[in-house]
Amino acid sequence: MARRGVGTPLLLLRLSLLLLLRLGGTLSCASVEVGSPVVPLGSAVTASCSVRSRLCRGLQGGRARISWMLDNETVAGSQGRGAGDTEVSNLTLPQFNRTQAKLWCWVEWNGTKQRVGLAEIRAGYPPAKPSNLSCLLNLSDYGLTCRWQPGADSHLPTSVVLKCSTSRAPAVTGCTPQGGRSHCTVPRRLLQLYGQMEIWVAASNALGTAESERLRLDPMDVAQLEPPALRSIQSMPPQTDCVTLAWAVAPSSAHMELWCELRYRPPKDPNWVLVTGIVGQAGTAQCCGLLFGTPYLFQMRCRRHSAHGHWSEWSAARNHTTHEKAPTGKLDAWWSTRPDPAGRRLEVQLRWKAPRQREANGRLLGYRVALGPRRRGREPPTVCNTSDTHCDFTAPAGTRRVYLSAYNAAGESTATEVLLLERKGQPLAGLRAVPAGERSLWVHWEAPRAPVAAYVLEWQRVASEPGHCSACWQMERNGAATSALIQDGIEPFQRYNISVCPLYKDAIGTPTHTAAYSRQKAPSHAPKLHLKSISKAHAELCWDPVAVELQNGFITNYTIFWANSTAEVASAVVNSSFNSFIIRDLKPSTLYKVHIMASTVGGSTNGTSLTLVTMVLDDIEIQILFLTLGLIFVLLTALMICFQKNGRVKQQFWPSVPDPANSSLGKWVPAELQQEPPQVPSAKEPALATISTVTVLERAAGKQAPIWGKDSPAETTVAFPGVPQPYVQQDGPGRAMGPGTGSYGSGETVQYAQVAGDGYKGQQHVPCRLYLRSSSTQPLLFDRSPSPKPYENLWFHGATPSHGCQGAGGFLEEPLIDFPLLQGLQISGAEELHDFQRC
């Protein structure tokens, strides 16, 4: 039941819609009216929709709600009640900008909308005025075909007709174009041949009518004739540049008065030469000014002799070649000379320009170079006969003139005298070249002070591989000229070396050079960077120049860019004459990316990137570091050796010296010295330990030296002249000790003695040995040798030891001590003797 209750309202709604949609339901109960179904584009549109409820079944007893839609767009209108039970909604569109649209009227009842009315609206413009009306009469069917330009589109259906009138009949429609075309044909029955007619185009639509200008003409005046036919072309007698042509007109135009035109051109020349004013009835014409030995194309056309006559189509082309004539004019020649190694012949390189077609007078067969002019009965020697425009030959030394001529099938030209002048004239005052186009250059120069007869311009393309263009030169025969245009062989984006050489009456000037491009662009490639050297703060870069063929212009500068990992970018501009650059103020141990950009006036090109990393230290710092580490290593090695061999090092630097206080001599004092009065040195003198008596043992020949501790020979005491001076050891500042005694080390008593004498056994310098016995019964031996100095410890005064020390029971023979036979012999004090003991 619930489902049934829900479906009942929906069923009723559907039934109501069916009643509204039944045949005649909407058309009879509602109507839509518009102010005008066609309006000018952009103007206002008004419309109204009237709904009669009593005629619309299902709307009785209720008020209809009316709405509007323009195509698919909802627009608002104003609704009100009209006469009776009519509901009226009015709509105004202030600006209608659509060329075509549908306006719908909708009625809403019980929440459902239904279209009840429709009006179509079109918008556009009045028709444009047709223009450029022209007509053409076809003599095959005598139909008059007219054409015109319709003008701008009006966006509305437009009717176009071609109207015509004669003096004997009113205006009639001549024809109507089909399918939107802008031409149509008036049949022969509506034309008045050989009489004046008016023809015009009329266009009309819902917004207006427009007509073209009226064309007044005689249909026969605009008749399109059939083209004439060229019968023959013949050259006039030799040595003339004229031809005679014969033609025939079409049969359909034989009874008309015609005017004709003739045109001709060489096959390779795109431009035609037009000959006008030819009377058609004559059937023949003469044409002059043609080149000798040149092929031509000839064509002809005709029209009726009237102001509005139409030209016929051009006739079929006919070929004809004029007869030849011997070449004329002078040849432009350029040369270079040099003597052969033997000096007997002259090597000549001669170049020349081929004569222009007007001077060649036909097809050239070749060129001849002779050493003299041709005269009657005398044929000069020919050095070159070629079909090329250059020749290398040798001539006798001293040759200053050669003669150049060209020849064809009709004859030979007058020889051109070529003067082989020397290069000793003045050069130009200035030279420059500027582009004149992509394939041409203007060359400007400043004339020298001396009068110039002509100028020779040469140019060569600059390339990595040298080449030579024999045709890349030209001569400017006007000596007053200061510029010339060169075009042969000029290509864009290529460099050309240009030279200009002035020619004087009796000399050739030194050539002046310049370089130029006809057009420039960015280089095809940038140079490749190379790393030459690097340190922690700078990097030196170098690059190879870009090949000339790839430069595409003059390199103005190079720009070096470098950036580190933190995107800090820097750049520098380098002159194009340099091929290296040093980047400074870099950060140590940092990665950089570097690239180079080459620039011309036509653009710039970037090269590939180069990655580099700066060093942590410079080379000098690395050397200092390695040197420092090496020294430290050496020192450490020496210290290790010293610690490992402590005893040997100690023995080397601090030798063990026996203590004299422990010697037996210290306990033995001769009687002669016991009664010597003690002498105390002054306080200012150093405290010296003295030996009271020294006994010198003389060794007999063949006997060994006595060894203490064993049986030893008798001691011989040698008395030296003079009074011995005992020395007293100072025990401290201002304190002295008696003779023969002293303190050493730990308080042991040491005997001191002084030796005095003049000689030993009558000799002034007798070597002897001094034996000292210490308390440890170890004998000490000191060699005596002549010396002008008193006894001192030579080791501690810089003397170099020559022997080592022996162990216990042996003799101490180092250091060697000289005992001079002087007034006295002084032995160092206790401290020095102690050092000797430590040897």
Side-chain angles (χ1 to χ4, degrees), residues 218-381:
D218 180 354
M220 293 301 297
D221 289 341
V222 294
Q224 184 177 16
L225 307 180
E226 295 181 11
L230 289 172
R231 298 297 185 186
S232 64
I233 304 175
Q234 295 180 353
S235 296
M236 297 295 290
Q239 307 303 321
T240 62
D241 57 356
C242 299
V243 295
T244 300
L245 298 94
W247 74 90
V249 296
S252 60
S253 58
H255 60 284
M256 298 180 186
E257 185 179 358
L258 303 177
W259 287 94
C260 299
E261 290 180 346
L262 175 70
R263 68 179 185 178
Y264 62 90
R265 66 176 177 85
K268 296 181 180 179
D269 191 352
N271 300 319
W272 292 89
V273 178
L274 186 64
V275 180
T276 61
I278 301 175
V279 180
Q281 287 79 5
T284 60
Q286 188 177 22
C287 179
C288 297
L290 303 178
L291 300 177
F292 292 96
T294 304
Y296 285 95
L297 295 177
F298 292 89
Q299 286 182 316
M300 197 172 187
R301 68 179 180 175
C302 296
R303 69 176 173 87
R304 190 166 181 261
H305 190 198
S306 64
H308 301 285
H310 282 268
W311 291 102
S312 67
E313 297 292 338
W314 288 101
S315 65
R318 189 178 181 93
N319 296 322
H320 178 74
T321 301
T322 59
H323 61 267
E324 291 187 350
K325 179 183 176 181
T328 58
K330 290 187 176 183
L331 298 175
D332 292 336
W334 184 232
W335 68 94
S336 63
T337 61
R338 65 175 182 178
D340 65 349
R344 298 179 181 179
R345 305 286 294 179
L346 185 67
E347 297 180 358
V348 182
Q349 292 182 345
L350 185 63
R351 293 177 290 166
W352 57 88
K353 287 288 187 180
R356 295 183 292 271
Q357 185 65 29
R358 183 172 294 276
E359 297 174 347
N361 296 332
R363 187 175 67 89
L364 291 176
L365 300 178
Y367 303 90
R368 182 178 289 108
V369 180
L371 296 181
R374 177 176 295 182
R375 296 176 184 176
R376 290 183 180 180
R378 181 174 176 268
E379 188 72 20

Side-chain angles (χ1 to χ4, degrees), residues 179-254:
R181 299 175 181 177
S182 58
H183 62 85
C184 64
T185 301
V186 181
R188 169 69 180 82
R189 59 185 175 81
L190 298 177
L191 299 177
Q192 181 180 350
L193 300 179
Y194 300 102
Q196 292 294 322
M197 296 182 64
E198 283 190 353
I199 301 175
W200 69 94
V201 179
S204 60
N205 61 18
L207 297 180
T209 302
E211 293 182 352
S212 68
E213 297 291 339
R214 299 198 175 194
L215 182 62
R216 293 177 176 86
L217 51 82
D218 180 354
M220 293 301 297
D221 289 341
V222 294
Q224 184 177 16
L225 307 180
E226 295 181 11
L230 289 172
R231 298 297 185 186
S232 64
I233 304 175
Q234 295 180 353
S235 296
M236 297 295 290
Q239 307 303 321
T240 62
D241 57 356
C242 299
V243 295
T244 300
L245 298 94
W247 74 90
V249 296
S252 60
S253 58

Side-chain angles (χ1 to χ4, degrees), residues 720-754:
F720 298 95
V723 179
Q725 300 292 332
Y727 290 85
V728 179
Q729 172 77 28
Q730 293 184 354
D731 194 17
R735 182 179 178 182
M737 299 181 64
T741 62
S743 175
Y744 177 78
S746 59
E748 297 178 354
T749 301
V750 182
Q751 298 292 331
Y752 298 91
Q754 181 176 6

